[in-house]
Amino acid sequence: GMANSRKMVFNDEGIPPGAWKEALENGLPMQLDNFINTIHSKNLRNSVFADVTANEVLATKYDLLLQKSISVVACNKVACSSSYEYYRKLKDLASDFNAHFLFETNVGAGLPVIGTLNDLLRSGDTVNRIEAVLSGTLNFVFNHYNGERSFAEVVKQAQDEGYTEPDPRLDLSGTDVMRKIMILAREAGEHLEMTDIANNSFMPESCMQGDVANFYQEMAKHEAHFKALYTEANAAGKKLKFVASYKDGKAAVGLQHIDPQHDLYHLYGKDNVVLFYTNRYVEQPLVVKGAGAGAEVTASGVFADIIRAART
Amino acid sequence: GMANSRKMVFNDEGIPPGAWKEALENGLPMQLDNFINTIHSKNLRNSVFADVTANEVLATKYDLLLQKSISVVACNKVACSSSYEYYRKLKDLASDFNAHFLFETNVGAGLPVIGTLNDLLRSGDTVNRIEAVLSGTLNFVFNHYNGERSFAEVVKQAQDEGYTEPDPRLDLSGTDVMRKIMILAREAGEHLEMTDIANNSFMPESCMQGDVANFYQEMAKHEAHFKALYTEANAAGKKLKFVASYKDGKAAVGLQHIDPQHDLYHLYGKDNVVLFYTNRYVEQPLVVKGAGAGAEVTASGVFADIIRAART
């Protein structure tokens, strides 16, 4: 079966990969509850449900699937960054009903971040500290902004090149990064809610009010603010990075000055990096780095999760 | 069941973790064929055989286990770096008999190197190039050698701190790194033998003849050679790293001058790093970095493999 926001289609023989667009266009009108009920009525054992949307309602239905032993693979971050209670419920259902709940792409797209963290913990290690740059968007913006073009123009470029969420304020505000560090902290065993995470935002408040057009206007007005951030870091020989951290049960996100010796300094394009400091990786962290945004690397991570769910 | 080079023990009820030493000491004399036959006679389904030795003969027996659907987990590199034919046979047997043949710790100890490579390929990516520092020993040596203490003394320190193979010439000659890049290239789909790998050794030939005592004596005699290597790199603002590379079907290992902008530059202690350039990770590679040697991180990687084999 297959669905988008408008149509849905089921075929007991499978949907030919080359003809999925046509099959979907000729499908029934999409109704989420109908879609879930059809899955249930077909009593599909060992099947995998893949959510490649960012839909909030869909994320509230995962429990209905896991309860029927249907594995859920999601690049959608909503479920894992909703209430701790729901996140916990989904993990427990997966375990109780012998299904998988996999979401490697929630953090760092196709990079092996959550799988690595799970392996460390399963084999008896303890994560003491995480430091990470988890926003391809913010990394792109701060890598391209040097005071020559305005900050607003660089943000617009990131949006035009497809590196931002549909509403770029989710990236610029740090909300998306808060979600990601919360998911990592939860996977490391911490009971955290979004309200527990400190966000030292660098954005003037007026930018975050109103609509996206207002956002760009306000950013342009505050160019001096952004230029000062850049100039100060640059004068000290440092780079600006929007860093997420987790330590001693606390998580925080915010802009930091990074010096050239640091693992976070050499990070280009839309790359992400995660540093795990554990009982075994004490002096030097275990580091995973690479493109952390983009359709292709995200699709590859979703696919790897589907294979993982299907094999077991 | 459990065995070391002297004793072996089987217990149908399991061996209590706290009492394994005693149980083993009171066991029967170890005979490898007996050990394998006992495993067969017990007809153990879904069991896992873990080889945490560096034994050459033991590695030739994996086929007997896989044929009985017993999964093999090995930190022992011998099997995967033996003939391509035997490596291929073991992979095929694992597939045919629905067992696992896992050896994550063959490269980078507990770092997620082989698993990440497998995920990339399984999800349809192609590996175009690998660049890596894969010897904790050589990294330790070149990080500590600055011409003040002799090269031989620094190597001795690495051996005393447990970072070398029992015969440190396996590390210093580059043989161990050749094995590792060959395993990565094979996992990436390449049909390679050890003789296909170029080794641009930095060691004077006389050091590699005779026994370990001779090795240290000859290194001391050639101090000027090592000092010249260091001085030349240092004068150019570079670091010496022993780099393994794979590109266009060819693999090579050798000492290189690395400049500060490069991902291989900031690599301390006994850390390893692997850079995967693929169809999806084109401009910037997917990077995995961290402690790549030591009993604890290796044990953690073996344990993660055992869990992986046992779950499926």
Side-chain angles (χ1 to χ4, degrees):
Chain A
M2 193 170 205
N4 61 21
S5 57
R6 294 172 297 104
K7 297 277 191 166
M8 63 182 191
V9 62
F10 283 92
N11 187 336
D12 289 340
E13 313 296 313
I15 298 166
W20 68 267
K21 272 192 187 173
E22 206 188 330
L24 193 56
E25 276 309 315
N26 296 329
L28 299 166
M30 173 61 176
Q31 284 193 300
L32 183 53
D33 290 333
N34 264 353
F35 190 76
I36 304 271
N37 288 339
T38 307
I39 294 173
H40 284 178
S41 71
K42 288 182 181 287
N43 196 17
L44 301 163
R45 291 271 148 199
N46 296 317
S47 59
V48 180
F49 178 90
D51 177 5
V52 295
T53 75
N55 188 288
E56 302 212 358
V57 179
L58 184 48
T60 66
K61 309 285 185 185
Y62 295 172
D63 53 347
L64 301 177
L65 297 158
L66 291 167
Q67 278 166 17
K68 299 282 179 180
S69 299
I70 293 163
S71 290
V72 173
V73 167
C75 64
N76 188 347
K77 277 188 286 288
V78 172
C80 285
S81 57
S82 65
S83 73
Y84 183 84
E85 192 188 348
Y86 185 58
Y87 159 83
R88 191 67 256 164
K89 182 184 179 186
L90 296 176
K91 302 274 283 186
D92 290 343
L93 284 174
S95 165
D96 293 348
F97 289 88
N98 207 16
H100 286 275
F101 174 41
L102 299 174
F103 41 88
E104 178 61 87
T105 49
N106 278 8
V107 181
L111 298 176
V113 174
I114 291 174
T116 299
L117 175 55
N118 291 161
D119 273 353
L120 289 172
L121 298 172
R122 260 188 224 123
S123 64
D125 204 356
T126 300
V127 175
N128 301 313
R129 182 151 69 95
I130 299 171
E131 278 201 323
V133 172
L134 296 174
S135 169
T137 315
L138 288 174
N139 202 40
F140 180 94
V141 168
F142 287 110
N143 278 336
H144 284 78
Y145 179 65
N146 58 8
E148 290 177 15
R149 286 185 304 150
S150 76
F151 193 77
E153 281 174 278
V154 176
V155 172
K156 191 69 180 57
Q157 185 194 347
Q159 184 172 21
D160 290 345
E161 296 193 11
Y163 298 153
T164 72
E165 301 276 329
D167 182 344
R169 291 176 297 180
L170 271 179
D171 298 298
L172 273 288
S173 65
T175 304
D176 193 55
V177 176
M178 286 168 73
R179 286 181 180 164
K180 290 174 181 172
I181 191 71
M182 182 172 73
I183 293 170
L184 290 184
R186 283 178 172 181
E187 288 289 296
E190 205 64 55
H191 180 138
L192 276 184
E193 305 285 359
M194 283 291 270
T195 48
D196 298 324
I197 299 171
N199 181 350
N200 310 308
S201 175
F202 65 92
M203 292 294 286
E205 263 189 56
S206 64
C207 296
M208 310 315 280
Q209 286 148 9
D211 58 13
V212 174
N214 176 70
F215 164 71
Y216 278 107
Q217 280 166 14
E218 288 295 320
M219 272 197 292
K221 282 190 207 163
H222 285 89
E223 178 60 19
H225 163 73
F226 298 111
K227 193 149 185 173
L229 290 174
Y230 171 78
T231 308
E232 193 195 344
N234 195 49
K238 314 220 172 177
K239 281 192 188 170
L240 289 171
K241 298 283 173 193
F242 195 80
V243 178
S245 62
Y246 161 72
K247 195 183 176 186
D248 298 333
K250 299 215 186 311
V253 306
L255 209 56
Q256 294 188 10
H257 288 190
I258 304 296
D259 70 47
Q261 274 71 51
H262 201 285
D263 269 310
L264 303 183
Y265 188 90
H266 295 285
L267 197 66
Y268 305 98
K270 52 186 189 290
D271 277 10
N272 282 195
V273 64
V274 183
L275 282 56
F276 293 111
Y277 294 86
T278 75
N279 284 356
R280 290 180 197 135
Y281 296 89
V282 183
E283 290 160 37
Q284 295 295 124
L286 194 170
V287 180
V288 178
K289 184 170 95 165
E296 213 177 3
V297 288
T298 304
S300 105
V302 168
F303 194 21
D305 269 352
I306 292 173
I307 295 167
R308 211 166 278 125
R311 294 177 114 209
T312 59
Chain B
M2 193 169 206
N4 60 21
S5 57
R6 295 172 295 104
K7 297 278 191 162
M8 64 183 189
V9 63
F10 283 91
N11 187 336
D12 290 339
E13 314 295 312
I15 299 166
W20 68 268
K21 272 194 187 173
E22 205 189 333
L24 193 54
E25 276 309 315
N26 297 329
L28 300 165
M30 173 62 177
Q31 283 193 303
L32 184 52
D33 290 332
N34 264 351
F35 189 76
I36 305 271
N37 288 338
T38 308
I39 293 173
H40 284 178
S41 70
K42 287 182 182 288
N43 196 19
L44 300 163
R45 291 272 148 198
N46 296 317
S47 59
V48 181
F49 178 89
D51 177 4
V52 294
T53 75
N55 189 288
E56 302 212 358
V57 180
L58 183 49
T60 66
K61 308 287 184 183
Y62 295 170
D63 53 347
L64 302 177
L65 297 158
L66 291 167
Q67 278 168 17
K68 300 281 180 180
S69 298
I70 292 163
S71 292
V72 173
V73 168
C75 63
N76 187 348
K77 277 189 283 290
V78 172
C80 285
S81 57
S82 66
S83 74
Y84 183 84
E85 192 189 350
Y86 185 58
Y87 160 82
R88 191 67 257 163
K89 182 183 180 187
L90 296 176
K91 301 274 283 187
D92 290 343
L93 284 173
S95 166
D96 293 347
F97 289 87
N98 206 18
H100 286 274
F101 174 41
L102 299 174
F103 41 87
E104 178 62 86
T105 49
N106 279 8
V107 181
L111 297 177
V113 174
I114 292 174
T116 298
L117 175 55
N118 292 160
D119 273 352
L120 290 171
L121 298 171
R122 260 187 224 124
S123 63
D125 205 356
T126 301
V127 175
N128 302 313
R129 183 153 69 95
I130 299 172
E131 277 200 322
V133 172
L134 295 173
S135 169
T137 314
L138 287 174
N139 203 38
F140 179 93
V141 167
F142 286 110
N143 278 336
H144 283 77
Y145 178 64
N146 60 8
E148 289 177 14
R149 286 185 304 149
S150 76
F151 193 77
E153 280 175 279
V154 176
V155 172
K156 190 70 179 59
Q157 186 195 346
Q159 183 172 22
D160 290 345
E161 296 192 11
Y163 298 153
T164 72
E165 301 276 330
D167 182 344
R169 290 176 298 180
L170 272 179
D171 297 297
L172 273 289
S173 65
T175 303
D176 193 55
V177 175
M178 286 168 73
R179 287 180 179 166
K180 290 175 182 173
I181 192 70
M182 183 172 73
I183 293 171
L184 290 185
R186 284 177 171 182
E187 288 289 297
E190 205 64 54
H191 181 138
L192 277 184
E193 305 284 358
M194 282 291 271
T195 48
D196 299 323
I197 300 171
N199 181 349
N200 309 308
S201 176
F202 65 93
M203 291 295 287
E205 264 188 57
S206 65
C207 295
M208 310 314 282
Q209 289 149 7
D211 58 12
V212 174
N214 177 69
F215 163 71
Y216 278 108
Q217 279 167 14
E218 287 296 319
M219 272 198 291
K221 281 189 205 161
H222 285 89
E223 178 61 19
H225 163 73
F226 298 112
K227 192 151 186 173
L229 290 173
Y230 170 78
T231 307
E232 194 195 343
N234 194 49
K238 314 221 173 178
K239 282 189 187 173
L240 289 171
K241 298 282 172 192
F242 195 80
V243 178
S245 63
Y246 162 72
K247 194 184 176 184
D248 298 331
K250 300 214 186 311
V253 306
L255 209 56
Q256 294 188 9
H257 288 190
I258 303 296
D259 70 46
Q261 273 71 51
H262 201 286
D263 269 311
L264 303 184
Y265 188 90
H266 295 284
L267 198 66
Y268 305 98
K270 54 187 188 290
D271 277 9
N272 282 196
V273 66
V274 183
L275 281 55
F276 293 111
Y277 294 85
T278 76
N279 284 357
R280 291 184 197 133
Y281 295 89
V282 184
E283 292 161 35
Q284 296 294 126
L286 195 170
V287 180
V288 178
K289 183 170 96 163
E296 213 178 2
V297 290
T298 305
S300 105
V302 169
F303 194 22
D305 269 353
I306 292 173
I307 295 168
R308 211 167 278 123
R311 293 177 114 208
T312 59

